[in-house]
Amino acid sequence: MNGVLLAAALSATPGCAVHYRNAARGEEHLWGFGQLALNVRPINDRLVSVASGSCAPGFCCNIDQGSVSISFGHLIRQHLLVVNSSEAADFQFPHGSMALAWQGRETNSLWGIGHLKMKTAPASDHHALISSETLTGLSASGGSERGLKFGFVNSRETSLPREDTCLEFSRPAESRGGFDLFDVRVDAPVSINPEPTEP
């Protein structure tokens, strides 16, 4: 079955791209052929959820947080951040620079040939982060994340770095493989009191 999926992916994806993500600054760049997408949803008057992602059909070199990977097939990478609403002022939705670009089906989604870029929230001061990668094809990576992937592979990681975080996701990150982080809705109480109340 994996061989059939791999053959279908390789025959249907003639593109070539280099994708670079600087999580500390919230910047993403894609050179070549691919897609960038960004969606922002208010949670309450203090927090927003930020879904961002890239899609690279064909050959892709991906550079992200000290890790370098090369894939051939169809690669979708997504991130869902929960950040303070004050961070939203610096967001830049996907746009082209020296690129032939066209709007995707989803809101704030851009496909292009050339240079696409966008800016989201820095990942350094978040309340929650879910990262997802779906690959149909072949991938080899080195650096902080080493490994070889083949066939249809889903990987997902959830991080809640603050002890006072109280969030509810519309679909838990562990529910099933391959779901779209752009569909996940986040809810949170208006105020969070980390201090225990005394009797």
Side-chain angles (χ1 to χ4, degrees):
M1 183 64 180
N2 277 347
V4 173
L5 288 172
L6 178 62
L10 297 182
S11 63
T13 54
C16 181
V18 174
H19 174 254
Y20 170 70
R21 178 172 174 264
N22 184 331
R25 296 176 61 182
E27 296 176 347
E28 288 196 48
H29 297 265
L30 191 142
W31 293 270
F33 173 64
Q35 177 197 37
L36 291 180
L38 173 64
N39 194 12
V40 181
R41 286 192 178 110
I43 298 173
N44 54 34
D45 60 351
R46 197 170 59 85
L47 300 173
V48 295
S49 69
V50 185
S52 62
S54 63
C55 178
F59 175 82
C60 180
C61 176
N62 189 73
I63 304 162
D64 187 359
Q65 293 181 294
S67 176
V68 177
S69 65
I70 296 174
S71 63
F72 193 70
H74 193 261
L75 178 65
I76 299 172
R77 295 173 64 94
Q78 295 183 342
H79 305 277
L80 178 70
L81 272 170
V82 176
V83 297
N84 294 329
S85 55
S86 58
E87 300 278 357
D90 294 331
F91 290 172
Q92 293 177 1
F93 288 97
H95 57 286
S97 170
M98 298 180 295
L100 171 64
W102 57 95
Q103 190 70 37
R105 287 182 309 175
E106 304 86 6
T107 306
N108 301 321
S109 162
L110 195 67
W111 282 90
I113 300 171
H115 179 206
L116 301 179
K117 57 186 173 180
M118 67 181 176
K119 187 172 188 301
T120 65
S124 56
D125 190 30
H126 60 272
H127 298 268
L129 168 63
I130 302 175
S131 297
S132 171
E133 180 178 296
T134 303
L135 169 73
T136 305
L138 176 67
S139 172
S141 57
S144 60
E145 296 179 15
R146 294 183 181 138
L148 184 66
K149 299 174 185 174
F150 173 80
F152 180 74
V153 182
N154 264 315
S155 60
R156 194 169 41 250
E157 186 178 329
T158 303
S159 166
L160 300 168
R162 298 182 178 188
E163 291 182 9
D164 64 337
T165 299
C166 183
L167 302 170
E168 195 172 298
F169 297 94
S170 63
R171 297 190 328 205
E174 295 77 25
S175 63
R176 65 184 176 88
F179 74 84
D180 191 349
L181 290 182
F182 283 78
D183 288 339
V184 173
R185 298 199 180 262
V186 183
D187 192 21
V190 174
S191 62
I192 299 172
N193 182 11
E195 298 296 327
T197 56
E198 294 185 13

